Amino acid sequence: MTIRKMDELGRVVIPKEMRTALDLCEGDSIIISLEGNRVALEKHSPTCQLCDSSDEVQQKNKAFLCKTCYIKLS
């Protein structure tokens, strides 16, 4: 267990060993959810907005698309 203080803007630093365990890097997106009286964090892995695949997903303009769907749309 690690105890951290929240600053005036509501920010809390996630300890390095936890970021490493979740493979979180600067700029990564995380999902923040409320589970009962707990706050849960998980790394966001984008999925294709057309087929829900998580293989080779890239952001194209404002959409996340897998390579297959991108080729079909091109």
Side-chain angles (χ1 to χ4, degrees):
M1 177 189 319
T2 302
I3 298 174
R4 297 286 172 124
K5 289 192 178 200
M6 185 183 319
D7 72 9
E8 66 277 355
L9 296 176
R11 296 177 296 203
V12 178
V13 174
I14 301 169
K16 182 175 175 132
E17 55 274 1
M18 291 181 186
R19 295 191 315 263
T20 300
L22 291 173
D23 192 29
L24 287 171
C25 300
E26 183 179 338
D28 285 347
S29 295
I30 58 171
I31 299 169
I32 305 169
S33 57
L34 190 59
E35 297 178 358
N37 65 346
R38 295 175 183 261
V39 175
L41 304 175
E42 63 183 284
K43 185 174 183 174
H44 176 254
S45 298
T47 57
C48 178
Q49 291 176 278
L50 298 177
C51 72
D52 210 31
S53 170
S54 59
D55 294 331
E56 297 185 62
V57 175
Q58 295 183 357
Q59 188 171 6
K60 304 292 184 183
N61 294 322
K62 294 186 178 183
F64 287 98
L65 299 173
C66 69
K67 185 176 182 180
T68 304
C69 289
Y70 182 74
I71 290 170
K72 286 180 184 177
L73 289 174
S74 295

